[in-house]
PDB file of all heavy atoms in Angstrom:
ATOM      1  N   ASP A   1       7.863 -54.173  81.930  1.00 71.00           N
ATOM      2  CA  ASP A   1       7.250 -55.215  81.128  1.00 71.00           C
ATOM      3  C   ASP A   1       6.737 -54.620  79.827  1.00 71.00           C
ATOM      4  O   ASP A   1       5.844 -53.772  79.831  1.00 71.00           O
ATOM      5  CB  ASP A   1       6.086 -55.854  81.889  1.00 71.00           C
ATOM      6  CG  ASP A   1       6.570 -56.610  83.119  1.00 71.00           C
ATOM      7  OD1 ASP A   1       7.685 -57.153  83.053  1.00 71.00           O
ATOM      8  OD2 ASP A   1       5.851 -56.638  84.120  1.00 71.00           O
ATOM      9  N   ILE A   2       7.288 -55.047  78.725  1.00 82.00           N
ATOM     10  CA  ILE A   2       6.830 -54.606  77.417  1.00 82.00           C
ATOM     11  C   ILE A   2       5.671 -55.495  76.977  1.00 82.00           C
ATOM     12  O   ILE A   2       5.772 -56.718  76.999  1.00 82.00           O
ATOM     13  CB  ILE A   2       7.961 -54.671  76.377  1.00 82.00           C
ATOM     14  CG1 ILE A   2       9.143 -53.801  76.825  1.00 82.00           C
ATOM     15  CG2 ILE A   2       7.460 -54.223  75.011  1.00 82.00           C
ATOM     16  CD1 ILE A   2       8.811 -52.346  76.991  1.00 82.00           C
ATOM     17  N   LEU A   3       4.567 -54.878  76.580  1.00 86.00           N
ATOM     18  CA  LEU A   3       3.386 -55.600  76.129  1.00 86.00           C
ATOM     19  C   LEU A   3       3.113 -55.280  74.665  1.00 86.00           C
ATOM     20  O   LEU A   3       3.595 -54.277  74.136  1.00 86.00           O
ATOM     21  CB  LEU A   3       2.169 -55.219  76.978  1.00 86.00           C
ATOM     22  CG  LEU A   3       2.272 -55.497  78.481  1.00 86.00           C
ATOM     23  CD1 LEU A   3       1.066 -54.921  79.203  1.00 86.00           C
ATOM     24  CD2 LEU A   3       2.392 -57.000  78.740  1.00 86.00           C
ATOM     25  N   ILE A   4       2.351 -56.131  74.031  1.00 87.00           N
ATOM     26  CA  ILE A   4       1.980 -55.949  72.632  1.00 87.00           C
ATOM     27  C   ILE A   4       0.485 -56.187  72.509  1.00 87.00           C
ATOM     28  O   ILE A   4      -0.043 -57.154  73.063  1.00 87.00           O
ATOM     29  CB  ILE A   4       2.738 -56.933  71.721  1.00 87.00           C
ATOM     30  CG1 ILE A   4       4.249 -56.784  71.904  1.00 87.00           C
ATOM     31  CG2 ILE A   4       2.383 -56.719  70.247  1.00 87.00           C
ATOM     32  CD1 ILE A   4       5.060 -57.927  71.322  1.00 87.00           C
ATOM     33  N   ILE A   5      -0.207 -55.297  71.797  1.00 89.00           N
ATOM     34  CA  ILE A   5      -1.660 -55.432  71.620  1.00 89.00           C
ATOM     35  C   ILE A   5      -1.993 -55.514  70.137  1.00 89.00           C
ATOM     36  O   ILE A   5      -1.378 -54.838  69.311  1.00 89.00           O
ATOM     37  CB  ILE A   5      -2.414 -54.256  72.287  1.00 89.00           C
ATOM     38  CG1 ILE A   5      -3.920 -54.513  72.264  1.00 89.00           C
ATOM     39  CG2 ILE A   5      -2.061 -52.929  71.648  1.00 89.00           C
ATOM     40  CD1 ILE A   5      -4.726 -53.530  73.105  1.00 89.00           C
ATOM     41  N   ASP A   6      -2.933 -56.355  69.789  1.00 88.00           N
ATOM     42  CA  ASP A   6      -3.393 -56.485  68.415  1.00 88.00           C
ATOM     43  C   ASP A   6      -4.821 -57.008  68.449  1.00 88.00           C
ATOM     44  O   ASP A   6      -5.316 -57.445  69.500  1.00 88.00           O
ATOM     45  CB  ASP A   6      -2.489 -57.422  67.623  1.00 88.00           C
ATOM     46  CG  ASP A   6      -2.633 -57.234  66.109  1.00 88.00           C
ATOM     47  OD1 ASP A   6      -3.375 -56.323  65.698  1.00 88.00           O
ATOM     48  OD2 ASP A   6      -2.016 -58.001  65.348  1.00 88.00           O
ATOM     49  N   SER A   7      -5.503 -56.974  67.314  1.00 87.00           N
ATOM     50  CA  SER A   7      -6.896 -57.407  67.268  1.00 87.00           C
ATOM     51  C   SER A   7      -7.132 -58.357  66.107  1.00 87.00           C
ATOM     52  O   SER A   7      -6.351 -58.400  65.146  1.00 87.00           O
ATOM     53  CB  SER A   7      -7.823 -56.198  67.137  1.00 87.00           C
ATOM     54  OG  SER A   7      -7.588 -55.520  65.914  1.00 87.00           O
ATOM     55  N   LYS A   8      -8.209 -59.136  66.226  1.00 86.00           N
ATOM     56  CA  LYS A   8      -8.598 -60.101  65.201  1.00 86.00           C
ATOM     57  C   LYS A   8     -10.114 -60.108  65.073  1.00 86.00           C
ATOM     58  O   LYS A   8     -10.825 -60.259  66.073  1.00 86.00           O
ATOM     59  CB  LYS A   8      -8.114 -61.502  65.593  1.00 86.00           C
ATOM     60  CG  LYS A   8      -8.632 -62.604  64.675  1.00 86.00           C
ATOM     61  CD  LYS A   8      -8.279 -63.979  65.209  1.00 86.00           C
ATOM     62  CE  LYS A   8      -8.852 -65.083  64.330  1.00 86.00           C
ATOM     63  NZ  LYS A   8      -8.550 -66.430  64.858  1.00 86.00           N
ATOM     64  N   PRO A   9     -10.641 -59.928  63.857  1.00 87.00           N
ATOM     65  CA  PRO A   9     -12.098 -59.986  63.683  1.00 87.00           C
ATOM     66  C   PRO A   9     -12.629 -61.393  63.970  1.00 87.00           C
ATOM     67  O   PRO A   9     -11.987 -62.392  63.661  1.00 87.00           O
ATOM     68  CB  PRO A   9     -12.292 -59.622  62.198  1.00 87.00           C
ATOM     69  CG  PRO A   9     -11.026 -58.953  61.793  1.00 87.00           C
ATOM     70  CD  PRO A   9      -9.940 -59.578  62.609  1.00 87.00           C
ATOM     71  N   LEU A  10     -13.817 -61.442  64.572  1.00 84.00           N
ATOM     72  CA  LEU A  10     -14.520 -62.698  64.812  1.00 84.00           C
ATOM     73  C   LEU A  10     -15.876 -62.599  64.115  1.00 84.00           C
ATOM     74  O   LEU A  10     -16.903 -62.325  64.749  1.00 84.00           O
ATOM     75  CB  LEU A  10     -14.698 -62.948  66.313  1.00 84.00           C
ATOM     76  CG  LEU A  10     -13.426 -63.005  67.159  1.00 84.00           C
ATOM     77  CD1 LEU A  10     -13.776 -63.147  68.626  1.00 84.00           C
ATOM     78  CD2 LEU A  10     -12.524 -64.146  66.715  1.00 84.00           C
ATOM     79  N   PRO A  11     -15.927 -62.786  62.808  1.00 84.00           N
ATOM     80  CA  PRO A  11     -17.175 -62.570  62.065  1.00 84.00           C
ATOM     81  C   PRO A  11     -18.171 -63.708  62.247  1.00 84.00           C
ATOM     82  O   PRO A  11     -17.795 -64.869  62.387  1.00 84.00           O
ATOM     83  CB  PRO A  11     -16.689 -62.496  60.615  1.00 84.00           C
ATOM     84  CG  PRO A  11     -15.452 -63.343  60.587  1.00 84.00           C
ATOM     85  CD  PRO A  11     -14.795 -63.157  61.930  1.00 84.00           C
ATOM     86  N   ILE A  12     -19.457 -63.329  62.261  1.00 81.00           N
ATOM     87  CA  ILE A  12     -20.511 -64.327  62.194  1.00 81.00           C
ATOM     88  C   ILE A  12     -21.204 -64.263  60.830  1.00 81.00           C
ATOM     89  O   ILE A  12     -21.988 -65.148  60.492  1.00 81.00           O
ATOM     90  CB  ILE A  12     -21.546 -64.145  63.321  1.00 81.00           C
ATOM     91  CG1 ILE A  12     -22.239 -62.788  63.213  1.00 81.00           C
ATOM     92  CG2 ILE A  12     -20.891 -64.303  64.679  1.00 81.00           C
ATOM     93  CD1 ILE A  12     -23.384 -62.615  64.198  1.00 81.00           C
ATOM     94  N   ALA A  13     -20.924 -63.191  60.065  1.00 75.00           N
ATOM     95  CA  ALA A  13     -21.485 -63.064  58.725  1.00 75.00           C
ATOM     96  C   ALA A  13     -20.676 -62.040  57.942  1.00 75.00           C
ATOM     97  O   ALA A  13     -20.106 -61.109  58.515  1.00 75.00           O
ATOM     98  CB  ALA A  13     -22.943 -62.639  58.776  1.00 75.00           C
ATOM     99  N   GLN A  14     -20.644 -62.205  56.623  1.00 66.00           N
ATOM    100  CA  GLN A  14     -19.963 -61.281  55.742  1.00 66.00           C
ATOM    101  C   GLN A  14     -20.813 -61.081  54.494  1.00 66.00           C
ATOM    102  O   GLN A  14     -21.711 -61.868  54.181  1.00 66.00           O
ATOM    103  CB  GLN A  14     -18.576 -61.809  55.355  1.00 66.00           C
ATOM    104  CG  GLN A  14     -17.581 -61.829  56.514  1.00 66.00           C
ATOM    105  CD  GLN A  14     -16.216 -62.363  56.103  1.00 66.00           C
ATOM    106  OE1 GLN A  14     -15.998 -63.564  56.088  1.00 66.00           O
ATOM    107  NE2 GLN A  14     -15.324 -61.465  55.759  1.00 66.00           N
ATOM    108  N   GLY A  15     -20.500 -60.010  53.755  1.00 69.00           N
ATOM    109  CA  GLY A  15     -21.208 -59.763  52.507  1.00 69.00           C
ATOM    110  C   GLY A  15     -22.685 -59.468  52.717  1.00 69.00           C
ATOM    111  O   GLY A  15     -23.098 -58.800  53.672  1.00 69.00           O
ATOM    112  N   ALA A  16     -23.529 -60.000  51.809  1.00 66.00           N
ATOM    113  CA  ALA A  16     -24.969 -59.741  51.858  1.00 66.00           C
ATOM    114  C   ALA A  16     -25.621 -60.297  53.121  1.00 66.00           C
ATOM    115  O   ALA A  16     -26.666 -59.812  53.566  1.00 66.00           O
ATOM    116  CB  ALA A  16     -25.641 -60.330  50.615  1.00 66.00           C
ATOM    117  N   ARG A  17     -25.016 -61.317  53.718  1.00 69.00           N
ATOM    118  CA  ARG A  17     -25.604 -61.930  54.910  1.00 69.00           C
ATOM    119  C   ARG A  17     -25.558 -61.020  56.136  1.00 69.00           C
ATOM    120  O   ARG A  17     -26.232 -61.290  57.130  1.00 69.00           O
ATOM    121  CB  ARG A  17     -24.885 -63.242  55.219  1.00 69.00           C
ATOM    122  CG  ARG A  17     -25.064 -64.313  54.141  1.00 69.00           C
ATOM    123  CD  ARG A  17     -24.406 -65.602  54.548  1.00 69.00           C
ATOM    124  NE  ARG A  17     -24.634 -66.654  53.561  1.00 69.00           N
ATOM    125  CZ  ARG A  17     -24.208 -67.911  53.693  1.00 69.00           C
ATOM    126  NH1 ARG A  17     -23.520 -68.256  54.787  1.00 69.00           N
ATOM    127  NH2 ARG A  17     -24.447 -68.801  52.750  1.00 69.00           N
ATOM    128  N   MET A  18     -24.753 -59.949  56.073  1.00 66.00           N
ATOM    129  CA  MET A  18     -24.651 -59.060  57.234  1.00 66.00           C
ATOM    130  C   MET A  18     -25.978 -58.366  57.539  1.00 66.00           C
ATOM    131  O   MET A  18     -26.223 -57.962  58.672  1.00 66.00           O
ATOM    132  CB  MET A  18     -23.551 -58.015  56.998  1.00 66.00           C
ATOM    133  CG  MET A  18     -22.142 -58.579  56.979  1.00 66.00           C
ATOM    134  SD  MET A  18     -20.874 -57.284  57.026  1.00 66.00           S
ATOM    135  CE  MET A  18     -21.211 -56.412  55.489  1.00 66.00           C
ATOM    136  N   LYS A  19     -26.828 -58.193  56.521  1.00 69.00           N
ATOM    137  CA  LYS A  19     -28.073 -57.449  56.690  1.00 69.00           C
ATOM    138  C   LYS A  19     -29.214 -58.308  57.213  1.00 69.00           C
ATOM    139  O   LYS A  19     -30.296 -57.809  57.497  1.00 69.00           O
ATOM    140  CB  LYS A  19     -28.471 -56.806  55.366  1.00 69.00           C
ATOM    141  CG  LYS A  19     -27.444 -55.802  54.848  1.00 69.00           C
ATOM    142  CD  LYS A  19     -27.885 -55.171  53.543  1.00 69.00           C
ATOM    143  CE  LYS A  19     -26.848 -54.176  53.028  1.00 69.00           C
ATOM    144  NZ  LYS A  19     -27.286 -53.566  51.746  1.00 69.00           N
ATOM    145  N   ARG A  20     -29.018 -59.608  57.328  1.00 69.00           N
ATOM    146  CA  ARG A  20     -30.079 -60.487  57.802  1.00 69.00           C
ATOM    147  C   ARG A  20     -30.267 -60.324  59.316  1.00 69.00           C
ATOM    148  O   ARG A  20     -29.317 -60.031  60.045  1.00 69.00           O
ATOM    149  CB  ARG A  20     -29.748 -61.944  57.488  1.00 69.00           C
ATOM    150  CG  ARG A  20     -29.667 -62.240  55.993  1.00 69.00           C
ATOM    151  CD  ARG A  20     -29.318 -63.699  55.767  1.00 69.00           C
ATOM    152  NE  ARG A  20     -29.201 -63.991  54.338  1.00 69.00           N
ATOM    153  CZ  ARG A  20     -28.871 -65.185  53.839  1.00 69.00           C
ATOM    154  NH1 ARG A  20     -28.627 -66.198  54.686  1.00 69.00           N
ATOM    155  NH2 ARG A  20     -28.778 -65.361  52.543  1.00 69.00           N
ATOM    156  N   PRO A  21     -31.499 -60.491  59.806  1.00 66.00           N
ATOM    157  CA  PRO A  21     -31.748 -60.381  61.255  1.00 66.00           C
ATOM    158  C   PRO A  21     -30.938 -61.426  62.035  1.00 66.00           C
ATOM    159  O   PRO A  21     -30.778 -62.566  61.591  1.00 66.00           O
ATOM    160  CB  PRO A  21     -33.256 -60.645  61.375  1.00 66.00           C
ATOM    161  CG  PRO A  21     -33.800 -60.339  60.023  1.00 66.00           C
ATOM    162  CD  PRO A  21     -32.732 -60.725  59.040  1.00 66.00           C
ATOM    163  N   ARG A  22     -30.436 -61.019  63.205  1.00 65.00           N
ATOM    164  CA  ARG A  22     -29.615 -61.914  64.027  1.00 65.00           C
ATOM    165  C   ARG A  22     -30.125 -61.931  65.460  1.00 65.00           C
ATOM    166  O   ARG A  22     -30.589 -60.903  65.982  1.00 65.00           O
ATOM    167  CB  ARG A  22     -28.152 -61.436  64.023  1.00 65.00           C
ATOM    168  CG  ARG A  22     -27.516 -61.383  62.649  1.00 65.00           C
ATOM    169  CD  ARG A  22     -27.143 -62.750  62.136  1.00 65.00           C
ATOM    170  NE  ARG A  22     -26.737 -62.680  60.739  1.00 65.00           N
ATOM    171  CZ  ARG A  22     -26.425 -63.744  60.007  1.00 65.00           C
ATOM    172  NH1 ARG A  22     -26.477 -64.955  60.551  1.00 65.00           N
ATOM    173  NH2 ARG A  22     -26.080 -63.608  58.743  1.00 65.00           N
ATOM    174  N   GLN A  23     -30.054 -63.109  66.073  1.00 63.00           N
ATOM    175  CA  GLN A  23     -30.416 -63.202  67.479  1.00 63.00           C
ATOM    176  C   GLN A  23     -29.350 -62.577  68.380  1.00 63.00           C
ATOM    177  O   GLN A  23     -29.646 -62.126  69.471  1.00 63.00           O
ATOM    178  CB  GLN A  23     -30.636 -64.664  67.867  1.00 63.00           C
ATOM    179  CG  GLN A  23     -31.867 -65.297  67.236  1.00 63.00           C
ATOM    180  CD  GLN A  23     -32.090 -66.715  67.710  1.00 63.00           C
ATOM    181  OE1 GLN A  23     -31.186 -67.334  68.277  1.00 63.00           O
ATOM    182  NE2 GLN A  23     -33.298 -67.223  67.494  1.00 63.00           N
ATOM    183  N   GLN A  24     -28.118 -62.566  67.894  1.00 65.00           N
ATOM    184  CA  GLN A  24     -27.022 -61.997  68.676  1.00 65.00           C
ATOM    185  C   GLN A  24     -27.033 -60.481  68.489  1.00 65.00           C
ATOM    186  O   GLN A  24     -26.362 -59.945  67.611  1.00 65.00           O
ATOM    187  CB  GLN A  24     -25.681 -62.585  68.238  1.00 65.00           C
ATOM    188  CG  GLN A  24     -25.590 -64.090  68.426  1.00 65.00           C
ATOM    189  CD  GLN A  24     -24.211 -64.619  68.069  1.00 65.00           C
ATOM    190  OE1 GLN A  24     -23.202 -64.040  68.417  1.00 65.00           O
ATOM    191  NE2 GLN A  24     -24.179 -65.759  67.382  1.00 65.00           N
TER     192      GLN A  24
END
């Protein structure tokens, strides 16, 4: 069985907002 693996970002914030406090 040949398999293929790849990834995808799931962002909750980008840019300047990355530095803000997060509950997650």
Side-chain angles (χ1 to χ4, degrees):
D1 294 327
I2 302 299
L3 300 173
I4 304 166
I5 188 170
D6 199 4
S7 63
K8 172 188 177 182
L10 302 176
I12 62 173
Q14 291 180 275
R17 295 184 177 183
M18 291 191 297
K19 298 181 180 180
R20 296 179 182 178
R22 301 284 171 184
Q23 291 183 344
Q24 299 184 43

